[in-house]
Structure formats: structure tokens, C-alpha cells
Amino acid sequence: LRCRRRLSLRSGLTKLMRRKCSIALLSPTPWSTCARCFLHEHVLVCSRREAKRFADLTADETTDLWLTAQKVGKQLESYHKGSSTTFAIQDGPEAGQTVPHVHIHVLPRKAGDFEKNDEIYDAIEVKEKELQQKLDLDKERKDRSLEEMNQEADQYRSLFL
């Protein structure tokens, strides 16, 4: 719970949906400033219990995490009129995990949103580093306003009712 609270409150992440073992969060930082990219925000699906690595999850937590990601992905893809979804998880520091808490990035996609499809993984790495910096309260950050985040979260929350 301590880590979940830190992720959702201190870093400015806004809760979209809570399930038995997982939670979906909207990040306050824009996903991409690229003109081709239609998606400006991304959603993180996290385990509610603090678990540093994917293998640390129980079978119930693993199932709930992926079922939550599936629901979030389906709804976001439809909402953004996408044609595909990228689900990304970095499991350990050498895999690019900068926040020591299991989480899945959920990104609805459209043709041409990245010039080369694999560029999305570079973008995810940048977002991971930004999220890690947000956990350090002494760093400067340029988040969207609370009003902007609440409006976006309200739109997304309605997808998961």
C-alpha cells in the first residue's frame, strides 16, 4: 500500500479504476509531443500490493493485472479510434524498469503514430524515467493542471463503469 500511495498521490497520478488486486492510473505528463502521435496520455495498470518484479505477484494478482490491462486497452483503443494496443512491462532495471513496482503501460495505437513501430519502446523508456523523477519530490515538474487531469480522468473513468 505504501508504494501504491506513493505512485498515486506523490507523483500526481490520477486513479481511473480499482479492482481487487490492481489499479489503473492516468499519468499527469503528456505521452508525446510528436504531431503524428494521437495519444497524449498513457495509462498505467499497477498491482495494488507493492511488488517489485513480475515474478513476485501471486497467480490471482497476475490474472487481475492482465484482465485490468485488457479492459483498459479495449476501452482506450475504442475511445481513441485506434486500431491496435501496445501493452508494455519492464521487469527489472536491466529491462528498463525505473520505478520498482510492477506496472503495465497501456497505449492504444493508430497506423503512423510512430515513424518506426519500435520507436514506441524508446518513448516508453523516456516515460519510465520521467515517472521515476516524479517520485522524487524535490525535482521540478511540469504537470498538467489538476483541472485538466480531472477532466481527462472523468472521460476515461466513464469507459470502465
Side-chain angles (χ1 to χ4, degrees), residues 4 8 12-18 23-26 153 157:
R4 180 176 52 81
S8 63
L13 297 169
T14 303
K15 180 176 57 175
L16 298 174
M17 177 175 59
R18 180 188 294 211
I23 187 168
L25 304 166
L26 176 68
R157 271 190 212 105

Side-chain angles (χ1 to χ4, degrees), residues 55-66:
D56 297 336
L57 298 175
T58 66
D60 286 343
E61 289 170 326
T62 301
T63 300
D64 192 68
L65 186 77
W66 283 107

Side-chain angles (χ1 to χ4, degrees), residues 17-18 29-30 48 66 69 73-75 85 88 105-106 114 120 125 133 155-156 159:
M17 177 175 59
R18 180 188 294 211
T29 321
R48 289 184 61 189
W66 283 107
K74 179 180 178 183
Q75 294 301 97
T85 302
H105 294 263
V106 182
F114 285 88
I120 193 164
E125 185 174 336
Q133 290 174 349
Q155 290 173 345
Y156 281 180
L159 301 175

Side-chain angles (χ1 to χ4, degrees), residues 49-116:
R49 180 179 65 83
E50 183 175 352
K52 291 182 181 182
R53 299 288 308 277
F54 186 71
D56 297 336
L57 298 175
T58 66
D60 286 343
E61 289 170 326
T62 301
T63 300
D64 192 68
L65 186 77
W66 283 107
L67 288 173
T68 302
Q70 179 186 44
K71 181 174 185 171
V72 167
K74 179 180 178 183
Q75 294 301 97
L76 289 179
E77 185 178 317
S78 175
Y79 180 80
H80 288 286
K81 298 177 177 53
S83 57
S84 300
T85 302
T86 294
F87 297 93
I89 182 171
Q90 290 109 337
D91 190 30
E94 288 74 28
Q97 181 185 29
T98 56
V99 177
H101 188 141
V102 174
H103 59 283
I104 303 169
H105 294 263
V106 182
L107 301 124
R109 305 285 305 276
K110 284 186 180 177
D113 56 1
F114 285 88
E115 191 171 323
K116 296 179 183 173

